[in-house]
């Protein structure tokens, strides 16, 4: 007999996965769709010289490495699902930013309930479609032009339609996982795409260690230990939070007087998750993107010297990345948590923070605590983003190229969220069993 509030053990979790029809069905749906998406990545886009393209992208292409990590190699392989979930992610970020700026969207999210959230989801799908058309047309018209067998309007239209159709199918599949599977579909797709790149990275690392001497093996071991320590640190910080105590006033229900209730307001140390790093990395890839179109030797020299990690002037890149991560951490924290709204909701519920007056004083206190937590979380994200790349460059181990802070944060975050959802389902099964008894 298990306590209903006790977290499920590993044995109970695996037994429920095998025996509970509901959970087993959800797992099979999730695994089947993820397998289907991985197969679709390897369906080639016609009309492209793949050998020539593979040679061109085999070098140090920062933009391709950043985008390819979210498509699981689909972009470098030029599959039908090359864009993957990227347009949907970009659309979600755009809608989140617009929600804070457009009152109509903010009203849909806060005041319209489930109908408003469905409306925002529908708007996000339309934005994803438009953004997918822009991205696919850009890829077909500019990036793939040198590798097209017969370049022309028909090639651009054919390639763009194939990429958009594949991206929309991936978006639909991610929503099916969210509704009928286990975990968040978009996050799981990114998780699986990152995991798909690990065997090649590990294989290249083993070959790199075998071809070198003892010194090479030592450098690889040090880098692997650093990755493990980084993962442990990410787990602790992702789970870290500040619990602000809250006291609810006494209430009278009929003849009964309910005593004051004590609870807490959880403020996470890392409010934005991986989003600040994604924003900062996207900003830092813009100069490299401009370099592909602006053929200026002076500009190219500055970009390649100071804005590419691993170069002589990479300290400038690290400093700009740290500042960008801190800025976007505060920006994203302001989107997620509004101290004024929290203070007003506490006042409406008759709750207060001990020692803090309701109203303006409460909002100022919450804002002050949030700013401190955001600063600590931003510094952590900056160190996580900079240290692995710096150590990898110092040790001269190039085989983990592309597997950086963003990948580790996504892997750990998605694994924790999915495990929590499975545990929640198992706990709900306990309650159902108690009711039947």
């Amino acid at each position: 007999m298990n306590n209903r509030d006790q977290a499920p053990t590993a044995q109970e979790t695996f037994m429920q996965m095998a025996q509970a029809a509901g959970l087993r069905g959800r797992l099979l749906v999730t695994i089947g769709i993820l397998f289907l998406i991985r197969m679709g990545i390897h369906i080639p886009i016609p009309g492209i010289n793949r050998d020539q393209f593979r040679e061109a992208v085999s070098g140090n292409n920062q933009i391709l490495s950043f985008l390819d990590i979210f498509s699981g190699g689909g972009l470098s392989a030029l599959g039908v699902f090359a864009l993957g979930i990227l347009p949907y992610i970009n659309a979600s970020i755009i809608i989140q930013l617009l929600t804070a700026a457009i009152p109509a969207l903010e009203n849909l999210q806060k005041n319209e309930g489930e109908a408003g959230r469905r409306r925002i989801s529908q708007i996000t799908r339309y934005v994803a479609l438009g953004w997918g058309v822009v991205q696919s047309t850009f890829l077909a018209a500019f990036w793939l032009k040198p590798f097209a067998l017969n370049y022309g309007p028909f090639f651009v239209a054919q390639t763009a339609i194939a990429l958009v159709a594949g991206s929309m199918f991936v978006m639909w599949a991610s929503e099916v996982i969210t509704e009928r599977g286990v975990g968040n579909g978009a996050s799981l797709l990114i998780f699986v795409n990152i995991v798909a790149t690990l065997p090649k990275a590990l294989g290249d690392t083993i070959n790199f260690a075998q071809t070198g001497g003892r010194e090479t093996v030592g450098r690889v071991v040090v880098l692997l230990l650093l990755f493990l320590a980084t993962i442990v640190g990410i787990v602790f910080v992702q789970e870290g939070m500040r619990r602000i105590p809250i006291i609810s006033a006494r209430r009278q229900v009929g003849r009964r007087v309910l005593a004051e209730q004590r609870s807490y307001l959880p403020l996470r140390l890392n409010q934005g998750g991986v989003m600040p790093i994604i924003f900062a990395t996207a900003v830092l890839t813009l100069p490299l993107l401009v370099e592909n179109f602006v053929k200026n030797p002076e500009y190219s020299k500055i970009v390649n010297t100071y804005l590419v990690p691993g170069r002589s002037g990479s300290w400038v890149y690290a400093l700009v990345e740290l500042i960008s991560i801190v800025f976007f951490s505060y920006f994203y924290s302001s989107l997620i948590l509004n101290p004024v709204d929290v203070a007003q909701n506490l006042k409406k519920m008759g709750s207060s923070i001990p020692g803090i007056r309701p109203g303006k004083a409460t909002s100022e206190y919450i804002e002050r605590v949030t700013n401190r937590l955001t600063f600590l979380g931003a510094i952590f994200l900056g160190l996580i983003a900079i240290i692995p790349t710096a150590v990898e460059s110092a040790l001269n181990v190039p085989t983990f190229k592309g597997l950086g802070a963003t990948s580790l944060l996504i892997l750990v975050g998605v694994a924790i969220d999915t495990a929590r959802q499975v545990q929640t389902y198992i706990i709900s099964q306990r309650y159902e069993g108690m009711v039947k008894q």
Side-chain angles (χ1 to χ4, degrees):
M1 293 296 293
N2 290 305
N3 190 327
R4 64 182 182 181
D5 296 325
Q6 182 182 355
T9 62
Q11 181 181 3
E12 182 184 1
T13 300
F14 286 111
M15 286 181 61
Q16 288 286 344
M17 287 181 180
Q19 297 177 1
L23 182 58
R24 185 174 64 247
R26 286 178 173 270
L27 288 172
L28 292 177
V29 169
T30 303
I31 295 173
I33 292 179
L34 292 177
F35 179 77
L36 179 64
I37 298 299
R38 289 303 307 170
M39 292 292 292
I41 287 177
H42 301 286
I43 300 176
I45 298 175
I48 297 173
N49 189 333
R50 314 187 76 77
D51 295 333
Q52 185 180 358
F53 179 80
R54 194 177 297 109
E55 293 177 1
V57 302
S58 60
N60 187 18
N61 193 321
Q62 298 292 325
I63 301 175
L64 184 62
S65 299
F66 173 68
L67 298 177
D68 200 38
I69 193 172
F70 294 101
S71 61
L75 194 59
S76 59
L78 284 181
V80 175
F81 294 163
L83 292 181
I85 200 67
L86 274 175
Y88 184 72
I89 294 174
N90 294 332
S92 300
I93 294 173
I94 292 172
I95 293 300
Q96 287 180 359
L97 298 177
L98 292 179
T99 300
I102 300 177
L105 291 177
E106 186 176 5
N107 180 64
L108 282 176
Q109 186 180 47
K110 292 184 177 181
N111 303 323
E112 297 296 330
E114 185 64 27
R117 285 188 286 270
R118 286 199 300 266
R119 179 62 178 165
I120 289 180
S121 299
Q122 189 66 16
I123 295 173
T124 304
R125 297 186 190 103
Y126 286 126
V127 174
L129 175 60
W131 191 254
V133 171
V134 173
Q135 285 183 316
S136 60
T137 304
F138 176 82
L139 287 174
F142 296 99
W143 273 22
L144 300 181
K145 180 179 180 180
F147 316 107
L149 299 178
N150 294 305
Y151 183 79
F154 178 76
F155 169 80
V156 173
Q158 169 188 277
T159 305
I161 291 174
L163 291 174
V164 171
S167 177
M168 293 301 101
F169 180 84
V170 172
M171 180 184 69
W172 170 81
S174 69
E175 293 184 349
V176 172
I177 293 177
T178 303
E179 294 176 1
R180 303 182 181 180
V182 176
N184 182 277
S187 300
L188 280 175
L189 287 176
I190 299 175
F191 178 89
V192 172
N193 290 337
I194 294 174
V195 171
T197 62
L198 291 180
K200 183 178 184 304
L202 292 176
D204 293 341
T205 303
I206 294 174
N207 293 333
F208 178 76
Q210 289 177 346
T211 55
R214 293 183 177 179
E215 182 182 355
T216 303
V217 175
R219 297 202 306 266
V220 171
V221 170
V222 170
L223 186 60
L224 291 176
L225 292 177
L226 175 65
F227 280 157
L228 292 177
T230 302
I231 292 174
V232 174
I234 290 173
V235 172
F236 276 103
V237 176
Q238 288 289 88
E239 295 296 297
M241 67 174 61
R242 169 77 179 273
R243 298 183 177 184
I244 299 178
I246 296 175
I247 298 178
S248 300
R250 294 182 180 180
R251 295 181 300 167
Q252 183 171 355
V253 180
R255 297 181 179 179
R256 297 178 57 189
V257 178
L258 300 180
E260 62 181 24
Q261 297 179 351
R262 293 181 176 270
S263 59
Y264 63 87
L265 174 66
L267 297 179
R268 301 185 65 86
L269 180 61
N270 182 18
Q271 292 279 357
V274 73
M275 299 309 298
I277 288 185
I278 293 179
F279 284 175
T281 309
V283 169
L284 288 172
T285 56
L286 288 178
L288 296 171
L289 181 62
V290 174
E291 183 196 6
N292 293 333
F293 300 97
V294 179
K295 304 300 181 181
N296 189 321
E298 294 296 329
Y299 177 79
S300 299
K301 180 180 178 181
I302 293 174
V303 170
N304 291 318
T305 302
Y306 296 104
L307 296 180
V308 175
R311 303 292 174 85
S312 58
S314 58
W315 64 271
V316 177
Y317 178 92
L319 180 61
V320 174
E321 185 176 20
L322 179 61
I323 295 174
S324 301
I325 289 174
V326 172
F327 171 77
F328 284 115
S329 295
Y330 277 99
F331 176 75
Y332 206 81
S333 177
S334 65
L335 294 179
I336 294 176
L337 182 66
N338 189 335
V340 176
D341 291 343
V342 175
Q344 291 178 352
N345 292 332
L346 290 176
K347 189 175 181 180
K348 291 177 182 178
M349 294 185 299
S351 304
S352 62
I353 300 174
I356 306 297
R357 292 175 60 86
K360 184 178 180 181
T362 299
S363 65
E364 291 177 350
Y365 175 77
I366 294 175
E367 183 177 5
R368 186 164 60 252
V369 174
T370 302
N371 288 336
R372 293 175 181 175
L373 293 175
T374 303
F375 179 76
L376 293 176
I379 295 299
F380 159 76
L381 289 180
L383 294 177
I384 289 297
I386 294 172
I387 291 178
T389 303
V391 173
E392 185 177 346
S393 301
L395 296 176
N396 194 20
V397 181
T399 53
F400 282 101
K401 176 184 175 183
L403 184 63
T406 306
S407 305
L408 294 177
L409 278 170
I410 292 175
L411 289 175
V412 174
V414 174
I416 291 174
D417 291 341
T418 305
R420 281 178 178 171
Q421 185 166 340
V422 172
Q423 290 180 352
T424 301
Y425 184 88
I426 294 174
I427 292 174
S428 66
Q429 291 293 106
R430 291 179 185 171
Y431 281 94
E432 291 181 5
M434 292 177 182
V435 171
K436 291 178 180 178
Q437 292 176 359

